[in-house]
Amino acid sequence: MSASSRLDARKQLQDYGASVRSLNAGGYDINLASPAANMRRKSTDHIKDVLQLAVDWGVADVVISPGTRRPMISPTIPQALGWFSESLDVLLPVAKQAGVRLLMENTPYCFRPTIGELVDLVDDIGDESLSIVYDVANAAYIGEDPVASLLSHHSRIGLVHISDTGTDVWGHDPIGTGIVDFEGLGSSRGLSVQC
């Protein structure tokens, strides 16, 4: 988008009393943990562009994926963690300067798909500009209990994505059409979820 298009879009949002809460920088084709330095560079450049759009529109959060390990001759977890860390060394200063938080999503295809693994990443990195967006459909699809995970780790989660899924096909389907326990999510004591 051109600078004038971005400004026009922001004005239109303001005219309607609307705002954008978060932007999603993309998924499977963005790989912050790629063994290829040029792919990591393309991924960080793309996310920097999304961070600039977040600044232009007054958006608080940008959703990212930690990245993937390819199934053929897959790099080790320590290697993927090192490459991801290098990518964050580029992105976190930009996010801080922009006043935007990066939120890692628990995507089934990423090399750290569970809430526990994402919490470990956030804790190891220890930067207030990095948190988690927890997608309950993604969690349910990989066999994680979204209710238990939200209750256990809610202090590390900055945003929750709400949709449903089955187990045969990964989806982001209407609530009540899949396996996510929305009654359990809604009745969880001590947990406040904004949708």
Side-chain angles (χ1 to χ4, degrees):
M1 295 175 75
S2 68
S4 62
S5 294
R6 288 179 182 214
L7 289 173
D8 289 345
R10 181 173 183 156
K11 184 179 179 329
Q12 192 169 23
L13 287 167
Q14 290 170 340
D15 289 347
Y16 286 100
S19 63
V20 177
R21 171 68 175 79
S22 65
L23 295 172
N24 194 323
Y28 201 76
D29 51 346
I30 304 297
N31 191 357
L32 297 174
S34 174
N38 63 337
M39 187 64 236
R40 292 193 308 275
R41 194 168 34 258
K42 286 179 183 180
S43 297
T44 57
D45 286 348
H46 173 74
I47 293 170
K48 284 190 226 175
D49 288 343
V50 176
L51 284 165
Q52 184 56 55
L53 180 60
V55 170
D56 293 346
W57 286 359
V59 175
D61 297 316
V62 169
V63 175
I64 63 171
S65 169
T68 61
R69 290 170 63 223
R70 301 296 184 216
M72 182 92 142
I73 312 174
S74 191
T76 67
I77 293 292
Q79 286 174 313
L81 286 168
W83 293 320
F84 176 66
S85 179
E86 286 177 18
S87 295
L88 284 184
D89 287 346
V90 171
L91 291 172
L92 283 172
V94 177
K96 280 182 193 178
Q97 183 175 4
V100 176
R101 185 172 54 171
L102 295 173
L103 299 178
M104 293 184 296
E105 186 170 3
N106 59 315
T107 53
Y109 57 79
C110 77
F111 77 98
R112 286 300 195 232
T114 69
I115 187 66
E117 291 166 326
L118 290 177
V119 166
D120 287 346
L121 280 176
V122 168
D123 288 348
D124 288 346
I125 293 160
D127 192 299
E128 62 191 28
S129 296
L130 183 69
S131 190
I132 296 169
V133 56
Y134 191 68
D135 187 307
V136 298
N138 292 351
Y141 179 72
I142 66 167
E144 189 167 77
D145 180 347
V147 175
S149 295
L150 281 169
L151 286 171
S152 297
H153 301 289
H154 64 90
S155 66
R156 310 310 265 154
I157 297 170
L159 187 65
V160 178
H161 285 174
I162 302 291
S163 63
D164 217 335
T165 190
T167 54
D168 293 339
V169 176
W170 174 36
H172 288 84
D173 304 324
I175 292 172
T177 61
I179 61 166
V180 175
D181 177 11
F182 287 100
E183 286 187 27
L185 286 172
S187 65
S188 299
R189 293 178 187 249
L191 180 64
S192 174
V193 178
Q194 288 186 317
C195 300

